[in-house]
Structure formats: structure tokens, C-alpha cells
Amino acid sequence: MIEKDVFSILFVCHGNICRSPTAEGVMRGKLAHRGWQARFRIDSAGTHGYHVGEAPDARSARAAAGRGYDLSALRARKVEDSDFSGFDLILAADCHNLADLHRRCPPEMAGRLRLMLEPLGEGREVPDPYYGGERGFEQVLDLLEAACDAWLFRLGEDPHRGPADRTPLAC
């Protein structure tokens, strides 16, 4: 159930060890900087349960720590059916994960599903850095910092208004 005075955001990627926990950490940091922690509930999950219970990838944690974001308390989990009603906004890292979410999501809640980078341009995706080098993790942070700032600007003083357009984007 969604708490009325708290706006909730779930960040989702494939395994919940790189992109989505990084997004969670970045958003938590941005909220803390603004003093808005009490106004939001932030979490992350994966569309697949390969890494349930694991800490974020060490490269993600190291890159995030280099910018002041602490991912050490985060543990991977899989998206649950209750997440669709439990979060106001569910942000997928890429079109593949967005499609996975749409397949599971009750139709009346599909407007909650978006891409993480939506405010930066339609169809933009967070690349998966898992099989690349260290630079990929820095690129993910660059994108997520910009996207989190844009989401917070979009949500503004009244997060419960949500995104202006609740029509799901096509990938």
C-alpha cells in the first residue's frame, strides 16, 4: 500500500547488482542533500532473482563511493507482485526490463512504469556496465545523477502529482 505523505520510487534492472542499486544510492544521496528523505521511499529490485541477497557489484559500489554514495547496506532482491501497488513510480533501466515489468504489471498500474532516463529523452536506456570496464560504471553514474536530478525537478514540491504524462513510453 502506498503511504499518502510519502512518494515511493522503485528502481529496476536485470539482477539488482549494478544499475538499480546505483540508482537507489544516487537518489538517496540527492534526497539527503535536499533534506527530502522523509518525503520519499526509495528501493531497488531486479526482474530476475539471480543475485537475491547479494551486495551490489564491487565495481558499482566503488564507483558510487568515489562520488559519495554508499551502497554497502543494499542487497539484491527480485521484483514482487506487491511492488506494482506498493510504489508510485517504477523506473526500469532499459526497454528489456520495462517490457518484463509490463508483462507482470496489472493493466491499471501500467502508468507507474517508466524508464529511469525518461526525463533525459524518450527511449534512452542505462547501459549495463557488468561486462565492461570501470569506465562503464562511471558512465552509469553520470546518467543516473542527471536522471535523478531531472526526476526530482519533475516531481518538484508536490511529488504526488507524479509525472505529468502517465502514458507509458514505447521503447
Side-chain angles (χ1 to χ4, degrees):
M1 179 186 322
I2 298 172
E3 299 175 43
K4 292 192 185 278
D5 27 334
V6 175
F7 190 83
S8 55
I9 302 172
L10 179 66
F11 293 98
V12 179
C13 69
H14 191 74
N16 193 214
I17 60 167
C18 293
R19 296 171 291 174
S20 58
T22 300
E24 179 182 352
V26 167
M27 184 62 89
R28 286 179 185 274
K30 300 234 175 239
L31 290 169
H33 179 76
R34 289 170 172 80
W36 288 3
Q37 308 94 304
R39 296 173 54 193
F40 288 83
R41 180 171 62 94
I42 307 300
D43 198 359
S44 63
T47 54
H48 293 77
Y50 306 131
H51 301 286
V52 169
E54 292 180 21
D57 183 283
R59 298 165 296 175
S60 289
R62 192 169 40 252
R67 297 193 192 188
Y69 306 111
D70 182 9
L71 308 184
S72 64
L74 305 182
R75 294 295 176 265
R77 73 177 187 86
K78 186 177 177 185
V79 171
E80 300 171 356
D81 290 342
S82 62
D83 289 332
F84 296 106
S85 62
F87 287 89
D88 296 297
L89 191 57
I90 301 172
L91 301 176
D94 58 38
C95 290
H96 179 76
N97 286 294
L98 184 62
D100 286 347
L101 290 168
H102 273 290
R103 279 191 287 278
R104 292 186 55 195
C105 183
E108 66 274 13
M109 295 178 188
R112 298 175 186 205
L113 305 178
R114 304 294 216 190
L115 286 171
M116 287 181 197
L117 301 186
E118 176 184 316
L120 305 182
E122 186 170 342
R124 293 207 46 201
E125 299 178 300
V126 181
D128 189 347
Y130 188 79
Y131 295 106
E134 300 293 323
R135 178 66 195 126
F137 293 89
E138 295 296 332
Q139 178 188 16
V140 164
L141 275 161
D142 292 341
L143 291 168
L144 292 174
E145 286 178 329
C148 287
D149 282 336
W151 277 111
L152 289 174
F153 178 79
R154 187 183 274 194
L155 294 170
E157 292 298 314
D158 182 12
H160 288 284
R161 69 182 178 167
D165 175 16
R166 300 295 261 175
T167 305
L169 290 177
C171 286

